[in-house]
Amino acid sequence: MSESAIRTRIAPSPTGDPHVGTAYVALFNYCFARKHGGQFILRIEDTDTARSSRQSEEAILSSLRWLGLAWDEGPEVGGPCGPYRQSERAELYRRTAGQLLEAGHAFRCFCKPDRLARMREEQKAAGKRPGYDGQCLSLSDSEVQSRLGHSEPFVIRMKVPREGTCVIQDLLRGNIEIAWDTVDMQVLLKADAMPTYHLANVVDDHAMGITHILRGEEWINSAPKHKLLYEYLGWSMPVLCHLPLLRNPDKSKLSKRKNPTSLLFYKRMGYLPEALLNYLGLMAWSMPNGEEKFSLNAMVQEFSLERISLGGPVFDLRKLDWLNGRWIREDLDDDQFAERVRQWALNERWALNERFLKQWGPLVRSRIAVLSDLGPLLAPFFSGIISITPELLLDGKLDRNAVSTGLALALDRIENVEWNKDEIEKMLRDVAAEMGAKLRDALRPFYVAITGSAVSVPLFDAMEILGRDLCRARLRHAREVLKH
Ligand code: GLU
């Protein structure tokens, strides 16, 4: 294969905020493709129609652009293998599922959800691994025809050997053996004729000429299904390279409950894209000269897959802060620094942009005598984590235990709130009720945690504007402060 034929891809699912893990995997795919003069492709995996949204897709695209990880083919730029959004390629997956059926590599499964749920319960109770038991494998042709005749809903599942082991070749990890009896007879096409991830992913990687798949290690267990599909379809499989997972300081998989994961958070906090990319690069890779600070271009120049290390990289905000500080001090002249600050202050919606001023103008106007009084009122909107003391958090009617419980309850609920001030208010009213406290008393420490002061701008508006990630981070910080 000539080097220029290398094609890599990032294939995010647009569900929720753009994830720092997407940027991490994109970075490695980008560097590998650029180093070898190949192409880096962006594909949107939005077949889960209930969870996917255009808003999320746009946030992913703009975050990758902010980071400077430009894609050669994909949404907004087009390319010869489009469309690059899976929801627009449904016909291709249906046709492929039909081919697999025809060739006897897949079968129609008419099992109803309640039978499948019962089956899983029984398997769990018997200490067995949950997985399809193969009931519909033995349906005769005439039975299938008659059920189709009655328009019974069905899914298409792939056949999977029950014996032996599948050997997956991973560029970083060598041969990985996975016993076939641990691999489920995966649904390929759902009852609504939409594909699952596995089918769409394989079909598209093939159709888009992807040569190397660099993705997170959480996908290793999917690889046997993919390998089998490539074999069934007579296609050659791209080279696999599973990158080490990013981890929380306690070594668990990076999660927003323990660490900010949204790229929007890092942007709003005022991390420089160069520094964030540099840090993500360091998570699994190192420069031959050992230098910790390097640019994207330098990483591309020196990039080689052999330098990827498989340790469990811990995402450590303090180290990122240190690196970001270096980028701010060492790489921007005074004019560039001024320009960055201006961009950040004007563009991030919780600082000084138009929308912010329109939302805030009417609220803060009643609280000031001269415009410069805005300074302290707006300070929490320019800040990341604000400094607060236990005394301030506890100067209301509630004791330490009650405040801590309230914060914990809110941290739990915050994940499922639709992010607007009415829903936020409802959530905090529920928290107060659950604490058995008066609303005023219960809200006081939240004012402190979120705005730094018990007398400040309206809380629910403030939370809406700050965004979920920063509110989560501040509530978590308040809990930490209370422990001391
Ligand atoms: N859509 C998958 C994701 O969200 C892609 C996984 C893969 O790269 O195969 O990460």
Side-chain angles (χ1 to χ4, degrees):
M1 182 182 19
S2 80
E3 285 211 326
S4 62
I6 282 180
R7 286 170 68 82
T8 66
R9 54 47 167 197
I10 178 84
S13 299
T15 55
D17 283 346
H19 200 278
V20 74
T22 301
Y24 162 71
V25 175
L27 169 66
F28 282 81
N29 278 284
Y30 176 94
C31 287
F32 184 58
R34 286 282 170 280
K35 167 78 186 185
H36 297 284
Q39 281 98 38
F40 168 57
I41 289 134
L42 172 62
R43 178 172 78 229
I44 298 293
E45 301 210 326
D46 58 351
T47 55
D48 183 345
T49 42
R51 292 177 61 232
S52 300
S53 73
R54 269 304 162 102
Q55 192 194 4
S56 167
E57 177 187 317
E58 275 157 26
I60 293 172
L61 301 189
S62 67
S63 298
L64 291 176
R65 285 202 192 287
W66 170 67
L67 286 167
L69 297 175
W71 51 100
D72 302 302
E73 295 173 28
E76 291 178 352
V77 304
C81 303
Y84 291 90
R85 209 173 270 122
Q86 290 189 328
S87 57
E88 294 165 18
R89 303 168 64 83
E91 191 41 45
L92 184 58
Y93 313 128
R94 272 171 221 159
R95 235 185 300 138
T96 312
Q99 273 173 33
L100 290 166
L101 263 187
E102 193 94 334
H105 297 310
F107 61 101
R108 291 188 182 84
C109 169
F110 296 89
C111 292
K112 305 265 179 299
D114 55 341
R115 189 190 93 75
L116 294 173
R118 242 189 353 263
M119 174 194 77
R120 273 191 293 270
E121 283 310 312
E122 284 166 14
Q123 287 167 333
K124 259 203 263 164
K128 287 195 197 142
R129 171 187 295 271
Y132 185 63
D133 58 6
Q135 175 162 293
C136 288
L137 267 174
S138 53
L139 291 180
S140 67
D141 277 355
S142 59
E143 174 92 5
V144 169
Q145 290 312 323
S146 123
R147 289 188 173 204
L148 289 177
H150 289 94
S151 304
E152 265 190 53
F154 64 90
V155 300
I156 296 179
R157 287 183 190 272
M158 66 189 289
K159 291 189 184 166
V160 175
R162 296 291 83 197
E163 281 164 14
T165 36
C166 173
V167 181
I168 297 296
Q169 276 150 349
D170 181 282
L171 208 57
L172 298 175
R173 295 158 200 267
N175 286 352
I176 304 172
E177 295 194 5
I178 299 179
W180 278 120
D181 66 2
T182 64
V183 180
D184 199 10
M185 294 177 221
Q186 178 64 48
V187 173
L188 299 176
L189 208 66
K190 296 180 272 188
D192 62 1
M194 283 301 271
T196 56
Y197 152 74
H198 304 278
L199 177 65
N201 188 272
V202 165
V203 167
D204 284 348
D205 281 342
H206 174 72
M208 295 179 180
I210 301 302
T211 57
H212 293 73
I213 296 177
L214 278 61
R215 64 180 169 199
E217 69 184 287
E218 71 268 35
W219 298 102
I220 288 178
N221 285 336
S222 299
K225 296 172 187 171
H226 299 182
K227 186 172 182 207
L228 200 53
L229 284 173
Y230 281 101
E231 278 169 21
Y232 285 164
L233 291 160
W235 299 338
S236 61
M237 188 168 184
V239 176
L240 290 181
C241 174
H242 289 95
L243 300 169
L245 271 185
L246 300 181
R247 296 181 186 274
N248 295 312
D250 66 4
K251 291 278 177 182
S252 56
K253 177 180 170 190
L254 191 70
S255 66
K256 60 185 170 190
R257 283 177 197 270
K258 302 205 174 131
N259 226 326
T261 55
S262 165
L263 290 168
L264 302 177
F265 171 84
Y266 292 95
K267 201 171 168 200
R268 282 181 199 156
M269 285 290 283
Y271 287 98
L272 304 187
E274 297 93 325
L276 184 55
L277 277 185
N278 181 173
Y279 187 63
L280 291 173
L282 275 182
M283 291 280 91
W285 194 81
S286 57
M287 271 292 187
N289 64 7
E291 174 55 84
E292 288 198 295
K293 181 159 160 277
F294 48 82
S295 68
L296 178 60
N297 275 343
M299 183 167 170
V300 168
Q301 291 313 317
E302 298 294 339
F303 192 76
S304 70
L305 292 170
E306 289 75 46
R307 297 200 62 79
I308 293 180
S309 64
L310 288 181
V314 170
F315 196 92
D316 175 1
L317 273 181
R318 275 173 316 212
K319 176 107 193 245
L320 172 59
D321 284 353
W322 166 80
L323 200 56
N324 204 62
R326 277 191 66 186
W327 275 92
I328 288 180
R329 287 190 301 276
E330 298 169 13
D331 284 82
L332 303 174
D333 63 26
D334 289 346
D335 288 343
Q336 289 167 328
F337 178 67
E339 179 54 23
R340 290 295 180 104
V341 174
R342 202 176 64 84
Q343 287 290 336
W344 171 75
L346 295 180
N347 290 342
E348 292 317 309
R349 70 188 184 113
W350 49 280
L352 273 185
N353 73 7
E354 279 298 304
R355 195 170 139 215
F356 174 85
L357 285 173
K358 282 208 185 97
Q359 270 178 308
W360 272 97
L363 295 169
V364 288
R365 255 171 80 172
S366 58
R367 290 171 158 80
I368 60 172
V370 289
L371 296 185
S372 52
D373 287 342
L374 283 173
L377 279 179
L378 295 186
F381 297 94
F382 282 98
S383 312
I385 304 301
I386 41 183
S387 57
I388 49 174
T389 59
E391 291 72 35
L392 208 52
L393 280 164
L394 297 174
D395 77 346
K397 296 234 169 78
L398 305 182
D399 65 14
R400 189 180 289 258
N401 221 347
V403 171
S404 182
T405 307
L407 291 169
L409 284 171
L411 274 168
D412 208 39
R413 307 275 159 85
I414 205 172
E415 303 304 332
N416 303 317
V417 176
E418 203 182 314
W419 207 251
N420 63 59
K421 66 177 183 188
D422 294 339
E423 293 300 314
I424 294 168
E425 173 170 356
K426 216 153 80 207
M427 183 265 292
L428 288 178
R429 279 180 183 278
D430 288 349
V431 167
E434 198 156 325
M435 292 164 69
K438 286 215 190 84
L439 186 64
R440 254 184 92 194
D441 300 336
L443 288 187
R444 194 178 170 93
F446 283 98
Y447 271 95
V448 175
I450 298 291
T451 70
S453 158
V455 280
S456 182
V457 288
L459 179 65
F460 312 128
D461 298 79
M463 289 180 74
E464 178 181 331
I465 291 173
L466 284 166
R468 197 191 311 263
D469 292 301
L470 203 50
C471 288
R472 189 194 292 112
R474 288 188 187 175
L475 293 179
R476 210 159 38 208
H477 177 64
R479 278 204 84 195
E480 285 301 310
V481 166
L482 269 191
K483 284 188 191 148
H484 303 303

